Amino acid sequence: MSYASENIAASLKSARENKGLSQRELSARSGVPQSHISKIESNAVDLRLSSLASLAHALDLELTMIPRKSAPAVRSIVRSTGSHKPQSNNDALRELARAQRALDTLPKALHESSAMETLQRQFQEMNNFRNILQETDAIRNMRSALEAVENSGGLKNLEKIAEDAQRLRNMLAHSVPSHMINEPTSRPAYSLDEDDSDG
Amino acid sequence: MSYASENIAASLKSARENKGLSQRELSARSGVPQSHISKIESNAVDLRLSSLASLAHALDLELTMIPRKSAPAVRSIVRSTGSHKPQSNNDALRELARAQRALDTLPKALHESSAMETLQRQFQEMNNFRNILQETDAIRNMRSALEAVENSGGLKNLEKIAEDAQRLRNMLAHSVPSHMINEPTSRPAYSLDEDDSDG
DNA sequence: AGCCTTGATCTGCAATAATAGATCAAATTT
DNA sequence: AAATTTGATCTATTATTGCAGATCAAGGCT
């Protein structure tokens, strides 16, 4: 109703989508029933602060009260810190998240291979390009490949996938204005966007 | 309970106090019952977003969800835009607000006097020094004087008060130690500054 | 000493958020 | 084509807010 709640609802929704989570997944993380999340996002309930807090926490968001006069400045900060999305890359982001999950749930036996290491690194890097990420299909393919590895158990396959990841990551890096990147293949120079290890 | 709500509760309370409002006054502005405000501020209730929104609106606050990683930057902005309070001036602010209300509810007959005009102006100015305002007693005296005017109807009194207001305002502008203005309507030993208000 | 304000605390009572769980159509995936 | 996923929409039941209005002790003020 109150225009404030519309904003909150919209923030929650877009934050969830930007993390590539489904309502059910968010439900699992936050403890809030999926049916309720649906109502919340469509601004159909006057939710309680506890619900909001649960969701915000699960989404790495913080609810703050700012003086009206500093609101524009804050908005500007958030805009520049967060990513501007072409609005068309939600699918890509979701795929990226799924792929990452697929990677994490790989058999432990593989977790020490060097291919695994580079894969982890490349994914980390790709996360730095969330704002320009659009290659939904490429990522989807990588995910299927990863899931296939579980069965066909091939370490060689994993290496192939790692190559793909590296290739994709390089593509992204090259499409970024050069002044935004300091060192080509080494450490990310900006915005590390860790996923949570709940603790 | 949830640490997030503690923050909210504290924010609401300090925001209210900084505006010099009592719970009942805030209740009148926001439509939220005083008894409920009390519970909310003591974090004894899991309030709904609508309640929070009402209160925030009445306090000129804005509810926003910000990414965790930009939270520090936002806090910094709010700190610099808002005022740093010595934490001891809540009383002074409250008094200022009350005095202002007393001024507004003066008989209309007086509303056109030049004394009234300067008073309005000085109050406006004093508001600009909220952050360093500490002279609770001086303001309290001004308020009582204002309330007294209603009865004794003296325009001359109003002029005296206006002088005091001007004096206080100049004190603030020059950041003069507060113990020098503790004397009510009597004239100070030092000479009066000319008023350098914005032209 | 009296009067007023403030914040906290009770009393019901009504409205509704929150829960668990099932279902559904549409879109995706296999 | 079949299975799965997704978001939305039901059902019922429970738990709690929110409201209205009174009351109270503590402090401040006249």
Side-chain angles (χ1 to χ4, degrees):
Chain A
M1 190 178 177
S2 69
Y3 155 78
S5 38
E6 283 179 26
N7 271 335
I8 299 292
S11 296
L12 286 175
K13 180 165 186 173
S14 69
R16 177 179 62 80
E17 288 174 342
N18 289 342
K19 284 203 168 276
L21 296 174
S22 70
Q23 290 183 347
R24 280 187 171 81
E25 285 167 325
L26 178 56
S27 168
R29 286 195 188 196
S30 62
V32 177
Q34 179 266 327
S35 66
H36 200 218
I37 293 180
S38 170
K39 284 187 222 141
I40 290 172
E41 286 188 353
S42 53
N43 203 22
V45 286
D46 185 6
L47 81 166
R48 297 187 189 163
L49 198 50
S50 62
S51 302
L52 183 54
S54 302
L55 294 176
H57 178 76
L59 292 169
D60 279 315
L61 293 176
E62 198 166 300
L63 179 68
T64 61
M65 319 228 350
I66 60 180
R68 212 166 187 68
K69 71 175 176 183
S70 50
V74 166
R75 262 191 275 279
S76 148
I77 283 270
V78 171
R79 237 194 312 280
S80 69
T81 315
S83 41
H84 335 213
K85 294 180 194 19
Q87 174 68 340
S88 56
N89 70 347
N90 274 336
D91 295 343
L93 290 176
R94 157 186 307 249
E95 267 317 314
L96 182 61
R98 296 183 70 181
Q100 220 147 1
R101 258 172 277 143
L103 185 63
D104 290 342
T105 58
L106 238 42
K108 305 181 196 83
L110 295 171
H111 266 280
E112 293 161 13
S113 65
S114 76
M116 189 60 166
E117 219 175 309
T118 51
L119 264 172
Q120 294 278 22
R121 189 150 26 89
Q122 296 314 321
F123 266 81
Q124 191 73 337
E125 291 263 329
M126 277 191 259
N127 241 312
N128 295 333
F129 299 106
R130 297 176 62 81
N131 27 342
I132 61 165
L133 192 60
Q134 304 249 269
E135 291 72 10
T136 311
D137 291 339
I139 304 172
R140 202 200 310 276
N141 290 336
M142 282 190 30
R143 175 174 63 88
S144 337
L146 278 172
E147 285 166 351
V149 166
E150 255 190 292
N151 307 324
S152 60
L155 187 107
K156 245 182 294 182
N157 289 345
L158 203 63
E159 285 164 356
K160 266 191 207 148
I161 302 172
E163 278 179 36
D164 283 349
Q166 207 149 353
R167 196 153 45 238
L168 176 53
R169 181 266 165 200
N170 285 335
M171 238 188 66
L172 291 171
H174 283 312
S175 67
V176 166
S178 55
H179 66 272
M180 292 183 67
I181 306 180
N182 292 343
E183 308 157 61
T185 322
S186 66
R187 199 57 73 91
Y190 51 97
S191 90
L192 239 167
D193 186 299
E194 292 271 3
D195 228 352
D196 58 337
S197 52
D198 49 5
Chain B
M1 190 178 183
S2 73
Y3 157 78
S5 36
E6 282 180 26
N7 272 335
I8 298 293
S11 297
L12 285 175
K13 179 165 187 173
S14 69
R16 176 179 64 80
E17 288 174 342
N18 288 342
K19 284 203 169 270
L21 296 174
S22 71
Q23 289 183 347
R24 280 189 171 81
E25 286 166 326
L26 178 57
S27 167
R29 284 195 189 194
S30 62
V32 177
Q34 179 266 328
S35 66
H36 200 218
I37 293 181
S38 171
K39 284 188 223 145
I40 290 171
E41 286 187 353
S42 54
N43 204 22
V45 81
D46 185 9
L47 80 167
R48 298 190 188 162
L49 194 51
S50 62
S51 303
L52 183 55
S54 301
L55 293 175
H57 179 74
L59 291 169
D60 278 316
L61 295 176
E62 195 165 299
L63 273 178
T64 59
M65 311 260 313
I66 62 178
R68 251 198 119 94
K69 70 176 176 183
S70 51
V74 166
R75 264 189 270 280
S76 147
I77 284 271
V78 171
R79 236 193 311 281
S80 70
T81 315
S83 42
H84 335 213
K85 298 191 189 9
Q87 173 71 348
S88 57
N89 71 346
N90 276 334
D91 295 343
L93 291 175
R94 158 187 306 249
E95 268 317 314
L96 182 60
R98 295 183 71 181
Q100 219 147 1
R101 255 171 281 142
L103 184 64
D104 290 342
T105 57
L106 237 43
K108 307 180 196 85
L110 294 171
H111 266 281
E112 292 163 13
S113 65
S114 77
M116 187 62 165
E117 218 176 309
T118 52
L119 265 172
Q120 294 279 21
R121 190 151 26 92
Q122 297 313 323
F123 266 81
Q124 191 69 0
E125 291 265 328
M126 277 192 259
N127 243 313
N128 296 333
F129 298 106
R130 299 175 62 82
N131 26 340
I132 61 167
L133 191 59
Q134 303 249 266
E135 292 71 14
T136 311
D137 292 339
I139 305 171
R140 201 200 312 276
N141 289 336
M142 282 191 31
R143 174 175 63 88
S144 336
L146 278 173
E147 285 166 354
V149 166
E150 255 191 292
N151 307 322
S152 60
L155 189 105
K156 245 182 293 182
N157 289 345
L158 203 64
E159 284 165 357
K160 269 193 205 143
I161 302 172
E163 279 180 34
D164 284 347
Q166 208 151 353
R167 195 153 49 238
L168 177 54
R169 180 263 167 201
N170 285 335
M171 289 271 158
L172 291 171
H174 293 159
S175 296
V176 170
S178 57
H179 45 72
M180 295 186 68
I181 51 172
N182 268 357
E183 321 149 47
T185 337
S186 61
R187 287 239 3 188
Y190 46 85
S191 62
L192 257 151
D193 274 338
E194 78 289 352
D195 188 277
D196 52 344
S197 67
D198 45 11

